[in-house]
Structure formats: structure tokens, C-alpha cells
Amino acid sequence: MTARVLVGVKRVIDYAVKIRVKPDNTGVVTDGVKHSMNPFCEIAVEEAVRLKEKKLVQEVVAVSCGPQQVQETIRTALAMGADRGIHVEVSGKDYDSLGPLQVSKILAALAKKEEASLIILGKQAIDDDCNQTGQMTAALLDWPQGTFASELVIEGDKVKVVREIDGGLETIKLNMPVVVTADLRLNTPRYATLPNIMKAKKKKIANMKPGDLGVDMTSRVEVLRVDEPPQRQAGVKVESVEDLVSKLKEAGRI
Amino acid sequence: FPETCITMFTRTRPIHSIHYHSKAQWQLKLYLTDQQKEFQEVARKFSREEIIPVAQDYDKSAEYPVPLIRRAWELGLMNAHIPEDCGGLGLSIFDACLITEELAYGCTGVQTAIEANSLGQMPVILCGNDAQKKKYLGRLTEEPLMCAYCVTEPGAGSDVAGIKTRAEKKGDEYIVNGQKMWITNGGKANWYFLLTRTNPDPKCPASKAFTGFIVDANTPGIQIGRKEMNMGQKCSDTRGITFEDVRIPKENVLIGEGAGFKIAMGAFDRTRPPVAAGATGLAQRALDEATKYALERKTFGRVIHQAVSFILAEMTMKVELARMAYQRAAWEVDQGRRNTYYASIAKAFAGDIANQVASDAVQIFGGNGFNSEYPVEKLLRDAKIYQIYEGTAQIQRLIIAREHLGKYQQ
């Protein structure tokens, strides 16, 4: 039985919120805005908890990087069934420039420290849509990776992953330890029930800093400017197909 | 007031903190704990994602929402008050109110079916002995079973002391005969809290003449009436129940013979705040629907003309105040104080404003509001009962006057 699964969970602006760009174009407005766990991270936690319920793994550890508030996100993971949490404190300028490179270094260091044999992450975060952390983490650890997983089966010391790719579905078999990133159809995350929320309060969340893990947080990326997408222009109504064709020709589209 | 310095916390779980700072400045801090926010999130998600999509269908079919009740039970949203040693969560009234408001936002019919459980359980939670609690409350936490509060009769609603259902002691049993009416969950309950008159002497005071029982619903002699078709909250199950020579063992008496009136009334201080919370949830829904509509609809070339924005402003005032009222009432009883005054104020106010706000919402929708394809006419039909059950608007006023004048005469 696999000892430990590490699940990364990211605190992002809630998917239902209407995003607004800050007036100085340096980023989006986050103050007072509703945040919650990245939906793909929820799917990752759900998968890990299901593996534990099937007794294929012993322990599920939820990890998040960020300021004090990410503890809420870790607690949600605990309420869904994770056993304990790790809060890697990152705040201020480091948090502003926190990206897949830094997070994957942290996860790699934690995987070694915790002796995890399986890392499950969401395929991407809905705020930056990077889709890099899982891949980078696997590369840093020199572990195989099963990304865009819509199905995950543990068979002894191997993992079978069905991946969603452009052409359809691809099934691969990987030797543990592995990194898997969760896609939408992997599962439907459970609600945290009220009894589980209460039990989660007794579960432990350990605090540490990136320095404790020997991770260099410097970013190689600098955000120059953030803009809203261009306003949608009004369309033009045409009376007939001939009109449509001539208008498209005028616009140089055909 | 400004002289005293009071910091309030309950036992080991700070549920809600109000600080009154002494002398020159006083601060009032009202906030939810993280756990309360999480509970509210679960209730909100369940309500918006699972109740709302099917609420209209249940209103049309008037079918009892078994799948929703089961889901609520699985999530721990039902039976919040049952103590932990009977398998419940032992939540405070405040926590229960937060959950109730969210569920009511989705559909008050569903929420009433769930809330009626709380009302039926409350006498047992407050006054049951250990054996009774373990047996009857334990059942509700092991399976999604319902219970009901069986007090009202065809001839006595507000006048609880006027009930006629008799219980006569014969050996180790009581024989019960009578008729109850408008019992929520009447046809679905596994057991009832039943109030009967044990002392037939009309001169016997109310405080000694009544006895409360726990009755298994499958006891021979209990005839459950037809499901009543009501104006609103249609999916909730309301029935008349006839008791014909029903035998109840003496072990099922709560406290003792003659203690019934106090038990029945004592439950209300704890169940009125959640009912007020339910009315507030309905009012909030009406406000949200009306606001959404007003922002989409163009009239006189603009979105929202001033007259409509004033209606929305008044609706908002009422919803916010109703919320504050039930929160205060819940908090007072959780602190261990008698909250009758606040509970009645909250229930009276919330019931009244729910009706006003629902009516205003229909008004804002205009012609569309009157139509069943739009969500607000259901809200108006559902709202009316909040001025009637759990103590009518008139009874609440009697209570408030009595409490208020009582303070003045001290």
C-alpha cells in the first residue's frame, strides 16, 4: 500500500466572481473578493480521499503556499477527508510573484521530506491557467507524470492513468512514485459535511517557510501589465446569405 | 449600559462575539467564526445547487421532497440541535439559524419539512430523560427519519390551553383520544411529541393540567388524515391526525404528568429564532430575484427608475433588520438567557416583512410577477404561513407587550 499522497491546493478567486482589473493595471482586485479552492484542486483532493477510502493509500496530506488565508483552503481539504495539512508561508512580494516554478520546487522538496509516493494536483489554476506546476514538479523530482487525468487506477506499484488529449483518450502506465494532474472528468468532488467540518478542526496544519525547505523563491518572470480583454463589439445583422458573403469578403475574412 | 464591560463567549466554542467596551466608547463587533462560515457555505451550496433547481417542480407536484431531505441529513444539515451523545452535532441555535436561512432561501417548503423535525425534537432535547433521548433522538441520527410536534387541534391553535385531546391513566399506560390538525410532517413522522390534557377538571390551571408524551407513529389507533393542499410550502406534509384509544406506555411521559404545558411552550424560545431565520431567507430570495430582474428590465429607456429603487431600498432595510433580530434572539438563548422577548420580536418582524418583501418582489416583476413561470409568486404564497405558524403575528404581539410592560412595571 502506498504510504503517502501529497495534494496541492490553491486558494483562488471564486469561479463565480466577476473579475475586475485594478485601476493601475498591475493585477486584478482581490481585496474583499470571495476566494475558494481551485476547482481542479478540489477534484485532486477528492481523488486522494477516494484512494484512502479504498485503502490504497495510508495518508493524504494537503499542501498550500501563501499567506495566512490559505489555511481556510487547507481546512476545506481536511473537511473533505485529508488527514493533515502543511501551510508553506509565502507573503508580500514573494506571494505576488509566486508561480509554478516556486511552487513546484516547494512541492518537490516536500515530497522528498514527507516520503510521498504520489502527488496529485489540479491540472491548472483558474486564475493564471498556467498548467505547469504538475509538469515542473515531476521534472524536478525526475518522476513520471500523468497529466489531464480522467481516470486513475493504482495497480500494485504502478499507476494507470487515462489522459484526456486532443484526439481523445490516452492510457498510460507509470511506475511509482508519480505526479498526476486532475482534469474535470476525474470525479465529482464531495461536499464537506457538517460533521466532517467539525472533525477537521482537530486535524493538524503544520507551518513552514520556503527557506526551511531550501527553496529559492526568486521569480524569473515579471508581470508588466494586466488589461481587460477588449470590449465585445456589436455584431452586424444581414438580410441574406449574399449580404453575409459580401460582408465577410469586405472584412477580409474570406 | 456604557458603564458595563461585557465580553461574551460560550463555553469552549466562541460562536459569536459581541463586545461592549466600557465608559466613553463602546464597540460592537459582530462576526461569524470560521466554522460558522464553513457551515453556512455548505448549506448555501446545497440550497443553491440542489434545492433551487427542483423547488418549482415540488411546488407543482406537492410531493414530499424525500431526496432533498435525505441529502440534507447526509450533509449534517438536519438535526443540528441533537446533542452529541445521541449522535447529533449539538450545534447552537445561532448555527442552526444560519443553516436554516440558507435552506429557506432555496425553498421554504423543503426547509419547513426539515425544520419541523427541530420543533418535534426540542421538547425531548430539553426535557427528555437519558433513555428517552437515546431512543428517540438516536433514531433520527441513525436514519433520515422525521418527527412532528403534535399540539394544534381543529378547535385550538393559539389557545394551547384549550386543547381537548384527553389522556387517561390506566395502569402502566395512558389511553389517548382526540384530534390534532395542521401537523407538519404528520404523515411522514416516525414519532410525535404529543400534548394532551390529563386533568379533566376545568378549574385546574394550565401549568398542571397537561402532559407531554413521545408517541410512536405506528401505535395502533392513530389515524393519519389526508395530506392537506395548502396555499404555499406545498411540498411540506401537513395533516390532521386522529387518536382513538391509543395506548402510550408511562415511560413515554416527558418529565411527569401535568408538566406538559411548560414543556410545549419552552420549546418555542429555541424554535422561533430559526423560524424567523427561515422567513428572512425567503425575504432575501425575494429581494435578490427582484434586484436581478430590475437590473435587466429596461423601462423608460433606463434600468431601474427611481420609484423601483426605493422599493428595493425598503426591502433591503427589512431583510437586514430581520436578520439582526433573529441573530440577537438566537445569541441570547445560546448565552443561557431567557430570550422570549427577542424571539417573539424576531418571529413577528420576520414573518411580517417576509410577506411585505415577497409582495414587493411581485410588484417589481410587474405582470411577470403574477405568473407562475417566474419565481416570485411562489415566494408570496410561501410567505403567508410565517405570520401564522409557530405563534401567530397576533400572539407574538401579546407576548411582546407582556414582556415589555413587565419590564416597565419592575
Side-chain angles (χ1 to χ4, degrees):
Chain A
M1 169 150 75
T2 313
R4 208 163 276 131
V5 187
L6 213 61
V7 182
V9 294
K10 186 177 182 187
R11 179 175 180 263
V12 298
I13 295 179
D14 188 84
Y15 76 90
V17 169
K18 192 155 188 279
I19 312 287
R20 284 195 333 268
V21 173
K22 285 202 272 205
D24 61 6
N25 294 99
T26 54
V28 299
V29 177
T30 52
D31 269 345
V33 172
K34 178 159 192 254
H35 283 66
S36 42
M37 191 191 290
N38 182 38
F40 295 107
C41 298
E42 279 182 1
I43 297 175
V45 174
E46 174 65 24
E47 197 61 23
V49 173
R50 285 189 190 186
L51 289 173
K52 194 177 91 159
E53 286 170 347
K54 288 188 206 150
K55 301 213 195 314
L56 293 167
V57 302
Q58 264 181 325
E59 198 187 26
V60 177
V61 183
V63 182
S64 194
C65 308
Q68 186 63 17
Q69 294 95 317
V70 307
Q71 297 217 356
E72 289 164 21
T73 314
I74 300 175
R75 219 170 283 290
T76 306
L78 295 174
M80 285 172 73
D83 296 294
R84 59 185 166 89
I86 299 178
H87 172 202
V88 181
E89 290 170 25
V90 180
S91 49
K93 282 240 149 53
D94 277 347
Y95 185 60
D96 291 335
S97 63
L98 184 67
L101 181 60
Q102 293 78 17
V103 174
S104 50
K105 285 182 189 173
I106 290 172
L107 290 176
L110 277 173
K112 290 203 192 107
K113 183 168 183 283
E114 296 286 337
E115 293 173 343
S117 36
L118 176 57
I119 300 179
I120 310 183
L121 306 173
K123 71 171 179 182
Q124 66 197 58
I126 60 171
D127 52 6
D128 54 21
D129 284 330
C130 283
N131 186 354
Q132 296 166 10
T133 307
Q135 292 86 337
M136 283 183 177
T137 309
L140 288 168
L141 287 165
D142 199 25
W143 286 9
Q145 56 184 263
T147 53
F148 310 105
S150 64
E151 202 184 314
L152 167 63
V153 181
I154 297 188
E155 292 169 354
D157 61 350
K158 297 199 201 303
V159 174
K160 189 181 86 175
V161 177
V162 177
R163 306 180 57 228
E164 297 203 0
I165 59 174
D166 287 344
L169 296 173
E170 179 194 50
T171 308
I172 56 175
K173 212 172 217 176
L174 309 167
N175 295 325
M176 299 244 252
V178 297
V179 175
V180 174
T181 70
D183 207 327
L184 192 61
R185 278 156 282 273
L186 182 58
N187 61 49
T188 307
R190 64 192 62 193
Y191 281 78
T193 67
L194 263 53
N196 284 347
I197 291 175
M198 288 174 75
K199 283 190 206 134
K201 284 177 69 171
K202 303 198 182 94
K203 296 183 183 175
K204 288 203 168 54
I205 300 181
N207 285 319
M208 55 186 76
K209 295 203 165 50
D212 302 337
L213 298 165
V215 168
D216 166 24
M217 293 296 284
T218 23
S219 178
R220 277 73 162 160
V221 172
E222 188 195 334
V223 173
L224 297 175
R225 198 183 154 84
V226 176
D227 281 306
E228 294 210 353
Q231 289 278 38
R232 203 184 148 133
Q233 299 297 321
V236 178
K237 270 193 170 151
V238 292
E239 298 294 311
S240 68
V241 179
E242 288 79 20
D243 263 348
L244 176 63
V245 172
S246 69
K247 280 240 150 58
L248 285 171
K249 280 198 176 140
E250 263 173 56
R253 300 291 184 197
I254 52 169
Chain B
F1 242 176
E3 252 38 81
T4 43
C5 182
I6 314 163
T7 309
M8 331 252 191
F9 291 99
T10 51
R11 290 166 272 167
T12 54
R13 290 196 293 255
I15 52 157
H16 187 186
S17 171
I18 297 184
H19 295 263
Y20 287 91
H21 210 265
S22 65
K23 303 274 168 160
Q25 43 142 217
W26 35 301
Q27 288 174 303
L28 186 72
K29 288 188 206 168
L30 283 155
Y31 60 86
L32 298 180
T33 62
D34 283 341
Q35 182 174 276
Q36 286 173 320
K37 284 191 210 147
E38 286 167 45
F39 285 175
Q40 195 184 42
E41 259 315 300
V42 176
R44 186 168 292 188
K45 185 172 167 174
F46 173 66
S47 182
R48 314 275 165 122
E49 291 179 18
E50 296 193 40
I51 298 183
I52 290 185
V54 293
Q56 289 278 62
D57 295 337
Y58 277 113
D59 183 59
K60 289 204 170 82
S61 70
E63 201 186 305
Y64 197 64
V66 176
L68 288 174
I69 291 178
R70 174 166 272 276
R71 259 316 255 158
W73 180 84
E74 280 168 11
L75 293 173
L77 296 170
M78 224 163 90
N79 304 326
H81 309 280
I82 293 181
E84 288 177 79
D85 60 11
C86 297
L89 292 174
L91 295 187
S92 64
I93 301 294
F94 192 95
D95 293 344
C97 284
L98 287 179
I99 296 169
T100 302
E101 189 191 330
E102 295 300 326
L103 297 181
Y105 187 99
C107 173
T108 46
V110 175
Q111 180 267 320
T112 293
I114 294 174
E115 195 60 39
N117 250 26
S118 298
L119 185 55
Q121 294 160 12
M122 207 50 86
V124 181
I125 293 174
L126 293 175
C127 309
N129 61 39
D130 284 336
Q132 291 165 335
K133 281 200 247 195
K134 285 249 154 58
K135 181 171 179 191
Y136 290 99
L137 299 178
R139 264 189 219 174
L140 301 178
T141 55
E142 281 162 28
E143 284 178 68
L145 297 176
M146 312 306 285
C147 65
Y149 182 89
C150 217
V151 170
T152 302
E153 297 184 357
S158 292
D159 181 17
V160 175
I163 61 165
K164 298 256 182 311
T165 303
R166 320 177 293 291
E168 287 161 37
K169 188 136 194 261
K170 276 212 167 86
D172 279 346
E173 292 176 328
Y174 286 82
I175 315 289
V176 177
N177 279 282
Q179 265 235 300
K180 296 292 183 188
M181 191 57 186
W182 308 126
I183 308 304
T184 307
N185 281 342
K188 307 288 174 187
N190 175 273
W191 55 265
Y192 308 120
F193 164 73
L194 176 68
L195 191 69
T196 64
R197 189 170 184 116
T198 31
N199 190 323
D201 180 0
K203 293 209 201 81
C204 181
S207 55
K208 297 204 176 77
F210 300 94
T211 305
F213 293 93
I214 307 172
V215 190
D216 279 282
N218 59 5
T219 311
I222 297 183
Q223 286 154 39
I224 297 176
R226 63 161 191 222
K227 177 189 155 83
E228 295 293 338
M229 297 310 287
N230 294 322
M231 179 173 148
Q233 296 192 5
K234 289 191 176 180
C235 66
S236 174
D237 183 89
T238 328
R239 303 200 190 221
I241 304 180
T242 308
F243 292 80
E244 205 176 296
D245 291 330
V246 175
R247 287 150 65 168
I248 310 178
K250 68 175 202 287
E251 288 74 37
N252 281 23
V253 171
L254 279 163
I255 299 186
E257 203 178 301
F261 192 79
K262 205 171 104 180
I263 299 173
M265 297 296 106
F268 286 140
D269 284 346
R270 291 182 144 74
T271 54
R272 274 178 190 153
V275 171
T280 308
L282 183 151
Q284 181 72 58
R285 175 82 186 276
L287 174 58
D288 287 351
E289 295 287 351
T291 309
K292 222 166 40 165
Y293 185 86
L295 288 170
E296 285 164 3
R297 175 103 176 164
K298 275 209 154 97
T299 310
F300 304 127
R302 330 158 27 193
V303 167
I304 305 189
H305 60 88
Q306 194 178 52
V308 170
S309 73
F310 283 2
I311 301 178
L312 286 170
E314 290 183 13
M315 288 163 78
T316 309
M317 284 157 60
K318 291 169 182 172
V319 173
E320 291 291 346
L321 291 170
R323 185 167 296 126
M324 285 202 244
Y326 84 67
Q327 288 185 339
R328 179 67 185 268
W331 182 76
E332 288 285 332
V333 74
D334 285 334
Q335 295 296 301
R337 288 190 290 273
R338 187 171 171 274
N339 73 332
T340 312
Y341 173 79
Y342 291 104
S344 278
I345 289 176
K347 199 274 173 179
F349 188 74
D352 289 349
I353 65 103
N355 277 272
Q356 292 160 19
V357 171
S359 179
D360 287 340
V362 172
Q363 191 68 20
I364 289 180
F365 271 69
N368 287 338
F370 201 65
N371 177 270
S372 56
E373 302 266 313
Y374 291 81
V376 287
E377 60 81 27
K378 172 179 179 287
L379 298 177
L380 187 52
R381 286 186 288 107
D382 287 345
K384 188 57 193 165
I385 193 66
Y386 280 107
Q387 287 177 310
I388 300 172
Y389 68 19
E390 198 82 19
T392 61
Q394 289 64 43
I395 289 296
Q396 301 302 343
R397 282 160 170 78
L398 282 177
I399 296 173
I400 296 166
R402 182 192 71 203
E403 295 286 314
H404 169 71
L405 294 168
K407 277 199 224 167
Y408 265 72
Q409 276 154 6
Q410 265 168 28

